[in-house]
Amino acid sequence: MDRIKICFLAAIFSLIQLGFAFYLPGSYPHKYEVGDYLNVKVNSLTSIETEMPFSYYSLPFCQPSEGIKDSAENLGELLMGDRIENSPYRFKMFKNESEIFLCQTEKLSGDGFKLLKKRIDEMYQVNPMLDNLPAIRYTKKDGYVLRWTGYPVGIKVQDVYYVFNHLKFKVLVHKYEEAANVARVMGTGDAAEVIPTMGKSKDSDVPGYMVVGFEVVPCSFAHNADSTKKLKMYERYTTPIKCDSTSVSMSVKDGQSIVFSYEVSFEESDIKWPSRWDAYLKMEGSKVHWFSILNSLMVITFLAGIVLVIFLRTVRRDLTRYEELDKEAQAQMNEELSGWKLVVGDVFRAPSNPSLLCVMVGDGVQILGMAVVTILFAALGFMSPASRGTLITGMLFFYMILGIAAGYVAVRLWRTIGCGEHRGWMSVAWKAACFFPGIAFLILTTLNFLLWGSHSTGAIPFSLFVILILLWFCISVPLTLIGGYFGARAPHIEFPVRTNQIPREIPAQKYPSWLLVLGAGTLPFGTLFIELFFIMSSIWMGRVYYVFGFLFVVMILLVVVCAEVSLVLTYMHLCVEDYKWWWKSFFASGSVAIYIFIYSINYLVFDLKSLSGPVSATLYLGYSLFMVLAIMLATGTVGFLSSFWFVHYLFSSVKLD
């Protein structure tokens, strides 16, 4: 229980820190003097073939002499499966070293040999880090330079397995420049190592360097095992080691030990500290990325403008024509009403399952608000890729705070549908607090059992499960109930017309109305499918997503298109005397989730061809289902609220008895 308490306090602290600190966490430049030790850390082993991370020390790698220690991790890192640990690799600032012996492992057992071969077959990557920078690897293919983070565990050549046991590191450094205007705050990840001292240090005049780049070249080198028996860690190897990345020689055999070594060189670079992440953000095909997004924005904006103009002209023509008539002509016209005017006595009739609709709209407001605020903060630079896990932590923090909005909207809509009825508001608020989190908890728990069974570091620890439940019931639920209380006290929205006691019969339709509703999701999908590809690549292919400014614009455009599509469909249904618009307006825009799920399956089949095993496919589909559910609630809420405003405005403008 002490571990749970410590983790809970750490989670609360990280959330408070996120909410009140206007800086890039973990981004304070660290000054290293010549000769200072630089300690390399390692993250979880990852693979795009399984999407299941594993601990670095699950394989027979060298372990640090001081023992394995976990680095400080925030809530987002734990949820993402990051497990950052210390490693035996260490350098001295600006001291080039070569042929450094690291260790000779124990002889591989049968199980260890099979596991190592399995990880090589599954293309697992090792992810070293130095000063919070992941190691980057450059390869050439067809004249192009490709960038990768990390390096593979090994490679299989003609049914023989080889391990990369010698690493050639290059550290790019830049002379330290004191930033007088930078707030002296504690970063994340390196704990006390990155806490600068207050005031002017006595050795501030001593020249120092900042780490601005970290490159690695993996090699497979066959060491002489007999000559390494008497060597100790960090001693120099007796013979020169030639690191050739194009050839392999250290084969993996059952009952054989593996010798690990490394070399490091330092190079002064013109890269300044604020620009040190540029190498990771320059993805291949970036020009196509920007052009595609701009093209999509222009086309969708043009289509949305046409829809809006046609829609406004149609409605305004009906209203103007009616208002220009005198009272006698209006009375005669009322007897010959057609279209949407015929459903005046039924248009505000309560829908089926009203409490479920209120709960889904309330949760949609919460999810949409969380997405907008998180993306805005990320676009402004407060959640940079330099701070791992901050994006997930921020999403969780904003989601909990916006529980107030979910409770308020759900309860006030419930009272509006019930014409001011107070009874049942507490039940609606409780359902709003538990509906989406409950489904998410069920999905994540099921997937977590699969990860636990695979001994993956992606599995959420039991202590973190307890923390999430405490955050849910101690923060999110009370805030939602508080929002529901304010929603119960707020005046309900008055309907402009009375509802008849006997419902009107809906005429037979030429085509199923739900078919049109489901097809309406294609237009919102067109606003984001290009951006969706890059987001999916970031999640499943290990690429860094950084164009949050464009994502924010795309989200605004998506909201506008969802509102317009729902308005148009609601008007079309009213024109054919179909007054059951409540749920249809929700799913008219929410149906975009169906196309996103279909796209996810397409991405699995054609882009993740190497994804192996039923567990990996189940994880992918489970997380995709979770994402699709959140998108459906958010986009459906936009469509419903815009349609509700439109119907209220339309029947308020024309008084029909």
Side-chain angles (χ1 to χ4, degrees), residues 479-533:
L479 289 177
T480 307
L481 294 177
I482 291 173
Y485 172 76
F486 287 116
R489 290 177 60 90
H492 69 282
I493 301 173
E494 296 281 352
F495 293 144
V497 293
R498 293 191 301 270
T499 301
N500 297 335
Q501 293 183 352
I502 302 176
R504 178 185 179 87
E505 183 178 354
I506 300 176
Q509 306 296 324
K510 296 181 180 179
Y511 51 86
S513 59
W514 284 102
L515 188 62
L516 188 61
V517 169
L518 295 178
T522 54
L523 189 57
F525 178 73
T527 66
L528 53 78
F529 81 96
I530 294 178
E531 198 69 25
L532 189 62
F533 170 79

Side-chain angles (χ1 to χ4, degrees), residues 460-598:
I460 301 175
F462 178 76
S463 58
L464 184 57
F465 252 107
V466 176
I467 292 172
L468 293 175
I469 293 175
L470 290 175
L471 291 176
W472 180 11
F473 285 100
C474 296
I475 299 179
S476 181
V477 171
L479 289 177
T480 307
L481 294 177
I482 291 173
Y485 172 76
F486 287 116
R489 290 177 60 90
H492 69 282
I493 301 173
E494 296 281 352
F495 293 144
V497 293
R498 293 191 301 270
T499 301
N500 297 335
Q501 293 183 352
I502 302 176
R504 178 185 179 87
E505 183 178 354
I506 300 176
Q509 306 296 324
K510 296 181 180 179
Y511 51 86
S513 59
W514 284 102
L515 188 62
L516 188 61
V517 169
L518 295 178
T522 54
L523 189 57
F525 178 73
T527 66
L528 53 78
F529 81 96
I530 294 178
E531 198 69 25
L532 189 62
F533 170 79
F534 291 97
I535 295 175
M536 299 281 281
S537 299
S538 172
I539 297 174
W540 301 109
M541 302 291 285
R543 298 173 184 171
V544 180
Y545 187 85
Y546 63 98
V547 285
F548 290 103
F550 269 99
L551 182 60
F552 186 72
V553 174
V554 169
M555 171 160 283
I556 294 176
L557 190 60
L558 176 65
V559 169
V560 173
V561 173
C562 284
E564 292 175 348
V565 166
S566 185
L567 286 179
V568 172
L569 258 73
T570 299
Y571 180 71
M572 291 175 62
H573 282 107
L574 294 179
C575 285
V576 294
E577 304 175 33
D578 184 357
Y579 56 84
K580 295 183 178 180
W581 58 272
W582 301 79
W583 280 107
K584 292 173 184 176
S585 65
F586 185 92
F587 287 110
S589 53
S591 61
V592 66
I594 298 175
Y595 300 96
I596 293 177
F597 190 71
I598 295 174

Side-chain angles (χ1 to χ4, degrees), residues 22 34 64 66 81 142 171 173 272 341 354 494 504 518 553 566 609:
F22 291 93
V34 176
E66 66 273 15
D142 299 330
V171 181
V173 296
K272 294 191 176 181
K341 307 176 190 68
E494 296 281 352
R504 178 185 179 87
L518 295 178
V553 174
S566 185
K609 298 177 183 178

Side-chain angles (χ1 to χ4, degrees), residues 349-361 410 413-418 428 431 582-583 640:
R349 188 176 301 281
S352 57
N353 299 317
S355 62
L356 178 60
L357 178 64
C358 296
V359 167
M360 292 176 71
V361 171
L413 180 59
W414 166 257
R415 293 190 61 235
T416 297
I417 294 176
V428 172
K431 291 176 182 177
W582 301 79
W583 280 107
F640 171 79

Side-chain angles (χ1 to χ4, degrees), residues 249-260:
S249 56
M250 184 59 206
S251 60
V252 180
K253 298 179 181 179
D254 191 4
Q256 178 181 328
S257 61
I258 304 175
V259 177
F260 287 90

Side-chain angles (χ1 to χ4, degrees), residues 382-452:
F382 292 105
M383 298 176 184
S384 74
S387 182
R388 295 171 306 277
T390 306
L391 193 66
I392 302 296
T393 306
M395 292 173 67
L396 188 62
F397 172 77
F398 293 128
Y399 179 81
M400 290 190 301
I401 295 300
L402 288 169
I404 296 178
Y408 178 85
V409 172
V411 171
R412 192 174 184 197
L413 180 59
W414 166 257
R415 293 190 61 235
T416 297
I417 294 176
C419 299
E421 179 62 51
H422 282 81
R423 288 181 299 178
W425 74 266
M426 180 69 75
S427 174
V428 172
W430 264 105
K431 291 176 182 177
C434 299
F435 178 73
F436 177 72
I439 297 176
F441 187 80
L442 180 63
I443 295 175
L444 294 179
T445 302
T446 303
L447 299 179
N448 211 52
F449 278 118
L450 296 176
L451 292 170
W452 269 337

